[in-house]
Amino acid sequence: EIYTLSLHDALPISSLVNDLLFLEDLTVPDGTVVQPGEEIVKRWKVRNSGDCDWNSRYSLRYIAGDLMGAKERYKLIQLQPGEEGTIEITFTAPEYVGGYYSGWQAYNAKNEPFGNDFYLEIYVNPQLSY
């Protein structure tokens, strides 16, 4: 019997790469003006651009700016290499006028950050409506 190994089989585990490619904002474009206390459902389109499956041990974590009512950590959506998917977080706009930013990053099962970070950027102003 002859066994053939693909190049993938020959790679040592340590050479597998976790990566996330940010593709686009699906909702709430940067700089969107919102009302104080408004619920904001932000969706980002991403691709698993690495070699590893994103499993239940992968997480999405808050890294910068304002939480705006979100949790600090969520499970990352489960995607296989090459697959695209949507990450969704619900925020609540702060009560005070001004610009706000919330930055996020994917982490692997070893608690190592990877890939593009992505964010929500809004401006709270009760005088303006859209």
Side-chain angles (χ1 to χ4, degrees):
E1 248 179 86
I2 297 173
Y3 295 97
T4 57
L5 289 175
S6 71
L7 179 62
H8 191 76
D9 293 331
L11 290 173
I13 289 293
S14 62
S15 70
L16 294 178
V17 174
N18 281 293
D19 207 1
L20 176 151
L21 180 66
F22 166 80
L23 297 174
E24 63 178 317
D25 291 312
L26 295 175
T27 61
V28 196
D30 295 347
T32 296
V33 176
V34 299
Q35 299 294 306
E38 184 177 327
E39 183 178 276
I40 302 157
V41 179
K42 176 69 180 193
R43 295 185 185 102
W44 300 272
K45 187 174 184 180
V46 298
R47 177 183 298 132
N48 179 344
S49 54
D51 306 316
C52 302
D53 290 350
W54 298 349
N55 60 38
S56 61
R57 296 172 57 209
Y58 282 57
S59 61
L60 177 66
R61 299 185 194 177
Y62 163 76
I63 57 167
D66 298 283
L67 265 174
M68 292 184 261
K71 295 189 298 189
E72 291 190 20
R73 182 187 296 204
Y74 295 90
K75 282 187 187 256
L76 188 61
I77 55 173
Q78 296 189 25
L79 293 177
Q80 294 178 344
E83 286 186 334
E84 294 178 2
T86 302
I87 291 173
E88 178 180 301
I89 299 177
T90 300
F91 297 91
T92 302
E95 294 297 326
Y96 301 101
V97 170
Y100 294 90
Y101 166 95
S102 189
W104 296 82
Q105 178 87 57
Y107 281 75
N108 67 18
K110 296 178 183 170
N111 291 321
E112 299 164 335
F114 68 91
N116 297 141
D117 61 337
F118 42 94
Y119 55 88
L120 167 72
E121 187 179 51
I122 58 167
Y123 191 82
V124 175
N125 189 337
Q127 267 68 55
L128 296 174
S129 59
Y130 50 94

